[in-house]
Amino acid sequence: MPAWTDLKIKPSELRLDPTLTCGQAFRWQSTGPSEWTCALFGHAIDLKQTPTTILFRTLGHLKTAPTDHSHVESSLRDYLQLHISLETLCDTWTIVDPDFAKLRKAQEGVRTLRQPVVETLFAFIASSNNNIKRITMLVNKFCAYFGTPIETNKGIFYTFPEVKDIAQCVDIEGTLKELGFGYRAKYYAKTVALLCDSHECPEIFLLGLRDKSLEEARKALLQLSGVGPKVADCVCLMALDKPGAVPVDTHIWQVALRRYVPRIANVQDGIGAEQSRRLVLPEDKVELVRGLAKLLVAGQKAPSTKAYEAAQQLIIALFGPFAGWAQGMLFSGDLDTTESAAAAVKKEPAASKRKAKVDVSPVKPAKPIKPENPTKPEIPASSIKMRLRK
């Protein structure tokens, strides 16, 4: 086995288990005690959590992938955004919301990843009316079908395909329906067609959105099939360098309603509020925050688009330029709370964790493994057991 390399990052800055299972990445597989593996940058990347740091190694790679160890480490550091201090961000957020200190402790090391744009886009198109466990299953099926395998002594790991690889499928919608994508299959087919028809290189176009403003990037993404405001914000936050993007779903709406609305009326006057739980805001934001709280309360029984937008703007007002990172910790914390309650109802052990829920074994291909540069014969679209190529 290859030797481990120390990333020299402490647990307060990154913990693998919650970061890789909180619903932002769906291809990391638990492959050993505190070990996670995924095909990234053309390599099978192995990560290991220790009590003091994170280790990494590569288990295999594509023939076309750069093999320089320093290049792989640099790419991984960029993916994990290790140049950003999570501890410093948490210090800032705790000044605004003293209660954040408890969340910080419970969700230690949950940080936002900087993922490949194509992967993030297509993974979150699958998130519509879905849960983490099922999204993980669909994304892994997608990669096993369209991606390229990397064989390792821990199993086979599949790369996420490029748009042009998906476009070579004779019947994208029909194929994905057979893979279990249901009504979402048509979104994939339309988005692939739109990207390929409008851009010579879809990857370059999507990467170019990193240089656009949040509003411009959101507008461009919303033109794609299956992309609504939440999916657009997820892609902006997790792939397009927009740390202020705040995706809002029912979880975050409820967090805003439960965690902040009861305390907002007491901002700066402290009436009926414990001193240690008072929100601390600049004077110019107090009225904005109170107005947003009223919108949240108005949408309490049946959350409207305005109520969701109010929750989003509230998180931004509270946590500033890296509000999307704070949202990630709030989401992870609410996920833990929800699952603990569900486990209690089912009388399951308290140790029933997200890791167990989303952990998947390496996907077994429904067809022979393809070589890295396969000949692409025409094959009937009716057979899902073989790759459909033009």
Side-chain angles (χ1 to χ4, degrees):
M1 293 284 283
W4 293 101
T5 296
D6 190 349
L7 288 173
K8 298 180 180 179
I9 186 77
K10 51 191 176 181
S12 58
E13 287 290 345
L14 172 61
R15 285 195 303 126
L16 297 177
D17 191 339
T19 296
L20 301 180
T21 65
C22 68
Q24 59 175 321
F26 304 98
R27 294 195 301 120
W28 287 95
Q29 300 176 22
S30 178
T31 55
S34 301
E35 294 180 15
W36 297 83
T37 311
C38 181
L40 283 174
F41 333 122
H43 289 256
I45 304 291
D46 210 18
L47 296 178
K48 183 179 180 66
Q49 182 90 52
T50 76
T52 58
T53 189
I54 302 292
L55 308 176
F56 92 93
R57 62 187 175 187
T58 60
L59 302 178
H61 60 85
L62 301 179
K63 292 179 180 178
T64 55
T67 57
D68 180 58
H69 189 76
S70 62
H71 175 81
V72 177
E73 180 174 352
S74 176
S75 298
L76 183 58
R77 286 183 173 278
D78 180 70
Y79 176 86
L80 298 172
Q81 304 205 80
L82 297 185
H83 62 288
I84 297 173
S85 172
L86 182 59
E87 286 186 294
T88 300
L89 291 176
C90 288
D91 288 343
T92 303
W93 299 330
T94 303
I95 292 172
V96 174
D97 175 12
D99 264 7
F100 205 89
K102 298 176 183 177
L103 180 71
R104 173 184 189 170
K105 184 176 181 180
Q107 300 301 315
E108 181 187 45
V110 176
R111 67 190 297 117
T112 299
L113 305 172
R114 187 183 194 236
Q115 300 183 72
V117 185
V118 173
E119 174 178 348
T120 309
L121 171 63
F122 285 103
F124 279 96
I125 288 177
S127 71
S128 174
N129 296 315
N130 225 335
N131 57 57
I132 294 175
K133 183 178 180 180
R134 181 163 169 75
I135 298 167
T136 298
M137 178 193 70
L138 291 176
V139 170
N140 275 278
K141 283 186 174 183
F142 189 83
C143 292
Y145 196 86
F146 292 103
T148 302
I150 301 176
E151 295 189 62
T152 77
N153 57 3
K154 284 191 172 184
I156 300 171
F157 299 89
Y158 293 87
T159 63
F160 201 93
E162 295 183 0
V163 177
K164 65 180 181 181
D165 295 323
I166 306 168
Q168 291 179 27
C169 180
V170 175
D171 179 12
I172 296 174
E173 183 175 351
T175 297
L176 292 181
K177 282 185 176 179
E178 289 193 52
L179 287 175
F181 281 73
Y183 68 89
R184 303 172 191 85
K186 65 177 179 289
Y187 300 151
Y188 283 79
K190 290 180 180 179
T191 289
V192 169
L194 192 153
L195 287 172
C196 290
D197 291 345
S198 304
H199 308 281
E200 184 176 349
C201 181
E203 279 77 13
I204 290 178
F205 161 69
L206 292 170
L207 280 171
L209 297 180
R210 286 180 171 174
D211 298 324
K212 303 294 184 181
S213 68
L214 173 58
E215 292 72 21
E216 290 173 317
R218 287 180 92 250
K219 183 177 179 181
L221 292 170
L222 288 170
Q223 304 305 308
L224 303 176
S225 184
V227 178
K230 188 192 83 169
V231 171
D233 284 331
C234 285
V235 178
C236 285
L237 171 63
M238 301 169 196
L240 295 180
D241 300 339
K242 308 292 184 283
V246 177
V248 172
D249 62 0
T250 301
H251 282 283
I252 294 301
W253 172 75
Q254 291 175 344
V255 165
L257 197 61
R258 292 194 312 264
R259 187 183 182 95
Y260 295 111
V261 169
R263 298 159 62 198
I264 283 173
N266 303 309
V267 171
Q268 291 199 344
D269 58 34
I271 299 173
E274 299 175 24
Q275 181 71 21
S276 62
R277 298 191 68 240
R278 288 173 58 189
L279 297 173
V280 181
L281 293 174
E283 289 186 12
D284 62 346
K285 287 189 177 181
V286 172
E287 290 307 315
L288 168 65
V289 167
R290 284 178 170 161
L292 293 170
K294 290 178 182 179
L295 288 174
L296 277 168
V297 172
Q300 187 168 352
K301 291 185 178 180
S304 62
T305 299
K306 286 186 177 180
Y308 279 127
E309 290 176 352
Q312 181 182 59
Q313 293 305 311
L314 178 61
I315 300 298
I316 293 171
L318 291 173
F319 299 110
F322 278 78
W325 283 54
Q327 179 267 2
M329 295 185 76
L330 289 165
F331 181 88
S332 183
D334 188 65
L335 200 62
D336 278 347
T337 301
T338 302
E339 292 184 346
S340 295
V345 171
K346 295 180 180 179
K347 297 182 179 180
E348 293 179 353
S352 178
K353 299 179 180 178
R354 278 176 289 168
K355 183 168 106 173
K357 284 176 144 324
V358 302
D359 184 21
V360 291
S361 300
V363 180
K364 294 181 180 179
K367 54 195 175 303
I369 297 172
K370 68 166 186 173
E372 291 178 23
N373 298 299
T375 304
K376 300 175 181 176
E378 294 186 1
I379 301 173
S382 59
S383 175
I384 198 170
K385 293 184 178 180
M386 298 185 69
R387 230 172 268 271
L388 304 180
R389 302 289 191 187
K390 286 185 179 180

